[in-house]
Amino acid sequence: MSDTLNRIPMPTSGFLCLSVAGLCLGTLSLEAQNKQPKRPNILVILGDDIGYSDMGCMGSEINTPNIDRLAKNGVKFTQFYNTARCSPSRASLLTGLYPHEANMGHLASGNNYTEPGYGNDLSKNAVTLAEVLKPAGYSTYMCGKWHLAKDMSPTGNKDNWPLQRGFDRYFGTLNGSGNYYDPGTLTSNNHFIAPGKNFYYTDAISDTTVKFINQHPKDKPFFFYVAFTAAHWPLQAPEKQIAKYKGKYDIGWDSLRVLRFNKLKKLGIISSNCVLSKRSPEVPAWKDEPMKAWQVRRMETYAAMIDVMDQGIGRIISALEAKGELENTIIFFMQDNGGCAEPQGSDFPEEPMTAEQKILKPTSYDSINSNKKPIYTREGKFIRQGRGVMAGPADSWMAYGPEWANVSNTPYRWYKQFVHQGGIASPLIVQWPQGIKNKGLISRQLSHLIDIVPTCLDITGVPYPSKFKNNQIQPLEGISLVAAFNDKTTARELMFWEHSANRALRMGDWKLVSRVKSQSKFTPADENNWELYDLAKDPSETVNLAAKYPEKLKEMAARWEKEAIRTKAKPWPWNK
């Protein structure tokens, strides 16, 4: 493949305010700037559909020594939040805005809604972190899942592809999911490509990241966004990696949830008054599960996918060390939403091959352009799905369902797409040798994906624009977390959520939350279906205080409505 690195010269003047060091450089000549210490590199790593307790340092049995190393040498935020779904979280992460403000209220390339917050194509009135840092002299790179452009056609409008939104180099996929051995929309810069021999997408993301780091000029700082698709369905991993977890999950989900819960308490991640939420009502007791071997294989494969991702993160860290850049690099690791209960490929008995499919040729699947489940692998194997299909190989298409998602989200309730804790609570791990002195810190500061951009701008001293390419840019929603890196208090009034008509608001320890009975539908019965929790006393949302504190509920519900209009979550398309 041919990669083109578009470079821009370092500006000859600029305002650089290094608030971390308390030093304002003001307007400097290029010669004076070059005498200053190089600004920090920024590496943002995002996992996909991974639950609160899925890392070793968060109570898991999954082997994640490299992520654990970041936590040991940095700070672990245990009250960090995402937006409950892929595209909205990616929009918030890159822009510092709530997703509706970035025109990403649902999913990129989704339905053609007409409401202002639901265009599902990244707004030109939002600016990405890459677009802000690039004119300030940063090289900007991305590897992995984009999922922020409505048009993914190779001959269509590429205005919202990564290179057009601030990145110098890009390798990854534009869509939301795909076969790990042969993903659709695989892209190098602005061009679709086919995977090479022995391709596995997670390794390709890691290895291309290492390649870009090795090729990066040492005299410039960089911003690197690495967006893994692991562990989003389909559950696929090399057999050698799956074998490492053989027998690990034979105890079943009920016992595993208890083990993780106890470890979370032992590690000091959850408070002593936290209780383990009840098993989700749609999940049977493990003793009553009739297909144990199939269920175990699903979780073994899921664990292997996270393990492979962690190995790749280890190679990325080693590349930074070898280049002498690790000390000057701030690394963020986070997730886009909680564990995913979507039954993709696993809610019915195994799908038989139809007579029509038997006569289709393998070339009927164009893996470069496809955004759907393929019918065949390139080798001509029919891709199977359904209960009983063993996860792992390229010819399987499987998710791990609510049974194991309930484990991933221990100790919380519900999953991805919902705005209860199971859908939106995920850890943030930050390592920065030059800026974090209190290594191994567990921070309980309230924090959110919208805080990543202001934190990075605080660290680099790069100002946030009010205009970009003649477009008026919306003010940032997030706050800087730099003070929290060394256990100082950060102040915020509230955090807001809406996704598919599910609603939530957090103000201090109070959380107001509602789940609709049917996703993306809102009925009069849903209007006042609010739950109220005191998360200081009840972190896992088990005791609904709505009836006990009606005035608090009324106050917060009114504020949710106000924020919904302000952030463009309303008007919404759900009650039509």
Side-chain angles (χ1 to χ4, degrees):
M1 72 185 71
S2 173
D3 291 312
T4 302
L5 177 57
N6 300 315
R7 303 181 188 277
I8 62 170
M10 176 73 92
T12 56
S13 65
F15 182 75
L16 305 173
C17 185
L18 301 182
S19 59
V20 176
L23 173 65
C24 187
L25 300 179
T27 302
L28 299 174
S29 67
L30 178 60
E31 181 181 358
Q33 285 185 36
N34 288 337
K35 290 180 180 179
Q36 300 295 326
K38 193 177 79 167
R39 284 169 289 170
N41 304 311
I42 298 168
L43 172 61
V44 173
I45 304 173
L46 186 68
D48 197 346
D49 285 13
I50 296 174
Y52 187 82
S53 67
D54 275 332
M55 262 68 63
C57 61
M58 292 297 295
S60 177
E61 69 295 329
I62 300 174
N63 190 38
T64 57
N66 297 294
I67 296 171
D68 298 350
R69 172 187 169 188
L70 295 177
K72 182 179 179 181
N73 293 326
V75 57
K76 188 162 50 180
F77 288 81
T78 60
Q79 294 199 67
F80 182 76
Y81 287 100
N82 52 60
T83 72
R85 197 93 180 264
C86 305
S87 298
S89 283
R90 289 155 211 278
S92 286
L93 168 60
L94 284 176
T95 67
L97 303 174
Y98 285 117
H100 310 81
E101 295 175 298
N103 199 35
M104 199 57 65
H106 194 236
L107 279 179
S109 70
N111 295 305
N112 293 315
Y113 301 125
T114 58
E115 287 74 11
Y118 295 87
N120 299 322
D121 202 21
L122 195 61
S123 174
K124 298 300 190 297
N125 299 113
V127 63
T128 71
L129 185 55
E131 288 174 317
V132 177
L133 293 178
K134 185 174 179 177
Y138 271 75
S139 295
T140 54
Y141 308 106
M142 182 184 170
C143 287
K145 173 176 168 177
W146 180 239
H147 210 198
L148 289 173
K150 178 172 275 190
D151 193 338
M152 294 180 290
S153 167
T155 58
N157 184 343
K158 299 181 180 180
D159 282 356
N160 270 333
W161 287 27
L163 262 62
Q164 284 65 247
R165 295 310 304 253
F167 290 95
D168 293 322
R169 300 181 76 174
Y170 173 64
F171 167 81
T173 47
L174 300 174
N175 61 348
S177 62
N179 193 307
Y180 282 76
Y181 299 95
D182 193 2
T185 72
L186 188 63
T187 303
S188 175
N189 290 333
N190 274 331
H191 306 286
F192 279 12
I193 59 174
K197 190 176 180 180
N198 299 320
F199 183 94
Y200 182 69
Y201 189 32
T202 304
D203 284 334
I205 291 171
S206 301
D207 294 341
T208 307
T209 299
V210 169
K211 172 185 150 185
F212 287 178
I213 289 171
N214 289 339
Q215 293 175 348
H216 174 73
K218 204 167 184 181
D219 59 336
K220 289 187 70 175
F222 65 75
F223 163 55
F224 213 133
Y225 173 38
V226 182
F228 288 100
T229 52
H232 193 293
W233 51 259
L235 299 176
Q236 295 173 331
E239 193 63 35
K240 181 180 177 182
Q241 303 295 334
I242 299 172
K244 292 165 61 175
Y245 292 91
K246 187 70 175 174
K248 182 74 75 173
Y249 298 104
D250 291 357
I251 62 173
W253 42 73
D254 291 324
S255 296
L256 189 59
R257 287 186 80 224
V258 172
L259 288 175
R260 287 196 180 190
F261 178 72
N262 290 337
K263 189 176 177 183
L264 282 163
K265 282 201 169 182
K266 184 178 179 181
L267 292 171
I269 294 167
I270 57 177
S271 60
S272 59
N273 59 353
C274 184
V275 299
L276 180 61
S277 61
K278 293 180 180 179
R279 183 195 324 115
S280 290
E282 70 272 37
V283 177
W286 177 250
K287 65 181 178 60
D288 299 326
E289 169 56 47
M291 301 181 70
K292 288 186 172 64
W294 173 68
Q295 292 282 16
V296 164
R297 174 71 178 198
R298 292 206 290 171
M299 190 60 187
E300 288 171 352
T301 306
Y302 176 83
M305 294 168 74
I306 293 176
D307 192 319
V308 173
M309 178 185 70
D310 182 83
Q311 293 173 43
I313 291 171
R315 295 197 296 276
I316 293 168
I317 294 171
S318 294
L320 291 170
E321 283 182 307
K323 198 156 184 175
E325 294 285 4
L326 187 60
E327 289 294 309
N328 194 42
T329 301
I330 180 167
I331 302 175
F332 299 86
F333 175 82
M334 66 204 83
Q335 291 132 229
D336 64 346
N337 44 248
C340 174
E342 295 162 358
Q344 180 76 17
S346 58
D347 49 346
F348 299 107
E350 180 172 352
E351 175 186 328
M353 185 185 293
T354 66
E356 181 184 26
Q357 288 165 342
K358 288 178 181 177
I359 62 173
L360 283 172
K361 297 179 180 179
T363 52
S364 64
Y365 168 40
D366 180 353
S367 71
I368 292 179
N369 298 320
S370 176
N371 189 34
K372 298 179 181 179
K373 172 188 169 288
I375 298 171
Y376 287 97
T377 68
R378 284 180 184 264
E379 292 74 27
K381 291 184 177 181
F382 178 65
I383 294 178
R384 301 163 301 123
Q385 63 180 11
R387 292 180 66 85
V389 173
M390 291 299 182
D395 62 345
S396 67
W397 196 273
M398 189 64 52
Y400 74 163
E403 299 92 339
W404 295 112
N406 202 193
V407 173
S408 289
N409 295 334
T410 302
Y412 299 132
R413 300 167 53 211
W414 299 115
Y415 323 101
K416 169 187 176 180
Q417 299 192 42
F418 303 116
V419 293
H420 283 75
Q421 294 289 90
I424 60 174
S426 59
L428 168 67
I429 296 169
V430 186
Q431 176 185 288
W432 185 24
Q434 292 188 358
I436 296 174
K437 305 306 178 186
N438 195 355
K439 298 186 188 329
L441 173 69
I442 295 177
S443 174
R444 307 192 194 284
Q445 298 288 329
L446 297 184
S447 45
H448 191 287
L449 283 169
I450 57 176
D451 300 333
I452 301 302
V453 169
T455 300
C456 291
L457 297 184
D458 189 6
I459 289 165
T460 61
V462 176
Y464 182 75
S466 58
K467 283 190 175 181
F468 187 79
K469 293 184 177 178
N470 296 320
N471 295 310
Q472 196 71 32
I473 302 302
Q474 299 165 91
L476 287 168
E477 289 285 354
I479 64 172
S480 173
L481 299 177
V482 170
F485 289 168
N486 290 295
D487 211 20
K488 295 180 180 178
T489 301
T490 55
R492 73 185 327 135
E493 183 187 8
L494 57 81
M495 287 187 283
F496 167 87
W497 292 269
E498 187 283 336
H499 187 72
S500 294
N502 299 302
R503 303 166 290 168
L505 185 78
R506 180 159 181 177
M507 300 180 71
D509 291 325
W510 289 103
K511 183 179 174 188
L512 186 74
V513 62
S514 177
R515 181 176 67 92
V516 290
K517 293 180 180 180
S518 181
Q519 290 289 80
S520 302
K521 288 184 171 59
F522 193 79
T523 68
D526 292 311
E527 184 69 49
N528 296 312
N529 187 29
W530 287 110
E531 301 166 25
L532 181 66
Y533 299 100
D534 180 351
L535 296 185
K537 298 176 181 177
D538 179 27
S540 46
E541 299 172 320
T542 60
V543 181
N544 183 4
L545 300 174
K548 187 175 182 179
Y549 297 102
E551 291 304 314
K552 172 59 71 173
L553 186 151
K554 183 178 179 181
E555 170 199 341
M556 292 186 69
R559 187 58 186 269
W560 186 92
E561 288 289 335
K562 180 179 179 180
E563 291 300 307
I565 294 169
R566 184 185 70 81
T567 62
K568 303 178 186 176
K570 277 194 166 185
W572 59 16
W574 313 128
N575 54 353
K576 290 185 175 180

